[in-house]
């Protein structure tokens, strides 16, 4: 059995004049052969880091089952 390959893409930009100018669009797939699971846009670096950690944890968890 082949193990699924995950993919996480982060695209960032800033919006001038905003109280939180960072924008980070995250596209997530736990199996690239099935396409992206979801896309979201975050405005805080801490939230982006948390999302990456959660995704990596899920990939490890799925690999162990």
């Amino acid at each position: 059995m082949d193990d699924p390959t995950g993919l996480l893409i982060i695209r960032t930009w800033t919006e001038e004049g905003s109280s939180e100018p960072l924008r980070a669009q995250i596209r997530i797939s736990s199996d690239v052969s099935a396409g992206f699971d979801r896309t979201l846009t975050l405005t805080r670096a801490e939230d982006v880091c948390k999302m990456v950690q959660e995704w990596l944890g899920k990939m490890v968890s799925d690999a162990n089952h």
Side-chain angles (χ1 to χ4, degrees):
M1 174 169 89
D2 292 339
D3 292 327
T5 299
L7 178 65
L8 184 143
I9 299 171
I10 302 173
R11 183 175 72 97
T12 64
W13 67 96
T14 57
E15 291 192 1
E16 291 184 32
S18 175
S19 62
E20 293 190 40
L22 175 68
R23 297 294 181 269
Q25 180 188 62
I26 302 176
R27 297 184 74 187
I28 299 171
S29 174
S30 56
D31 181 358
V32 294
S33 67
F36 286 102
D37 301 330
R38 63 185 175 152
T39 300
L40 59 148
T41 302
L42 301 172
T43 60
R44 296 180 38 200
E46 299 84 14
D47 294 337
V48 173
C49 292
K50 181 179 175 185
M51 182 58 57
V52 171
Q53 285 184 309
E54 288 174 4
W55 177 78
L56 288 171
K58 181 180 182 329
M59 293 301 297
V60 170
S61 176
D62 289 352
N64 290 330
H65 290 110

